[in-house]
Amino acid sequence: IQIEHYLDADPERPEAYARFRKRMHRFQQGEYDQWATVAVDSATYMELMARKQSQYVDKKGTREPRQWYADSTEWLEEMLMVRFGSLPMNVVVLCHVDEDKDELFGTFVRNPKAPGRLRKGISAGYGEFYRQYMYIEKDAQNRVIDRRAVFQTMADGSFNAMSQLGAPDNCDANYAALWVGNE
């Protein structure tokens, strides 16, 4: 296990996203055999770091702030859909839940939150995507008798989710539970 942290303490002097991009380039140049999983927490913070890179470095003199958002969306599309999508290992990208709902098979569901053009397409880039939530069961006296984190792996009337592996829906939120029945 190796944890790397890319966040700028001073957003007006950004370097985090540039360092992250360089790290991902080095990662793809020969570390595949050293890792089983790569994870990003979260797309929200990645977008913010990319936007600050554009705002204070790449497009510092622009009078058009929409360019910063365009750059960050473009860079995240490249990273999340192309670079991460081509990795020969488990890829985990944490996203917040989008407040807006999209239509899916005649119902309106919430999707992973992503910037710009990724908003409607990030889930299409991954064969597995889940929503994690807290399952809470109470007894007749309203006392909690079971509380645990679970993965929603199939779409319902509220949230979009998907599993091509056949991971059980509403299973415990751990890697081994995703494979129950798929051994």
Side-chain angles (χ1 to χ4, degrees), residues 14-173:
E15 59 179 43
Y17 195 71
R19 285 185 306 125
F20 177 70
R21 288 176 69 173
K22 286 178 186 172
R23 176 64 178 109
M24 289 289 82
H25 179 73
R26 285 193 323 272
F27 184 80
Q28 286 191 297
Q29 297 304 308
E31 293 186 31
Y32 287 156
D33 59 341
Q34 298 175 30
W35 306 104
T37 303
V38 63
V40 170
D41 182 5
S42 69
T44 303
Y45 278 92
M46 184 187 294
E47 189 277 333
L48 179 60
M49 295 303 97
R51 185 164 22 102
K52 294 304 168 185
Q53 174 71 29
S54 180
Q55 180 178 354
Y56 291 109
V57 178
D58 295 354
K59 301 268 174 58
K60 187 175 183 174
T62 187
R63 294 176 184 225
E64 182 50 72
R66 290 180 293 188
Q67 291 181 5
W68 308 329
Y69 290 89
D71 282 351
S72 66
T73 298
E74 187 73 22
W75 294 339
L76 262 65
E77 281 181 335
E78 177 184 288
M79 186 65 67
L80 297 175
M81 304 301 280
V82 179
R83 192 175 294 267
F84 281 8
S86 68
L87 290 174
M89 62 192 63
N90 295 318
V91 175
V92 177
V93 178
L94 300 179
C95 298
H96 292 90
V97 175
D98 199 330
E99 298 88 21
D100 295 329
K101 294 180 180 180
D102 293 318
E103 187 171 1
L104 177 73
F105 306 121
T107 62
F108 287 91
V109 297
R110 288 186 167 84
N111 277 305
K113 185 173 185 147
R117 297 178 303 264
L118 284 173
R119 183 181 173 278
K120 296 223 182 241
I122 193 167
S123 56
Y126 295 89
E128 299 289 312
F129 70 97
Y130 318 132
R131 176 180 76 101
Q132 183 176 333
Y133 67 96
M134 290 303 295
Y135 170 80
I136 300 172
E137 185 178 350
K138 296 182 179 184
D139 65 14
Q141 288 77 37
N142 207 29
R143 292 180 300 221
V144 174
I145 57 174
D146 187 14
R147 178 187 175 110
R148 57 194 156 96
V150 296
F151 286 141
Q152 175 185 337
T153 64
M154 296 170 30
D156 65 10
S158 298
F159 295 94
N160 199 4
M162 177 177 69
S163 175
Q164 293 179 357
L165 299 173
D169 197 25
N170 301 314
C171 66
D172 286 340

Side-chain angles (χ1 to χ4, degrees), residues 4-20:
E4 298 179 18
H5 185 73
Y6 299 90
L7 187 64
D8 293 310
D10 182 353
E12 293 180 17
R13 292 180 180 9
E15 59 179 43
Y17 195 71
R19 285 185 306 125
F20 177 70

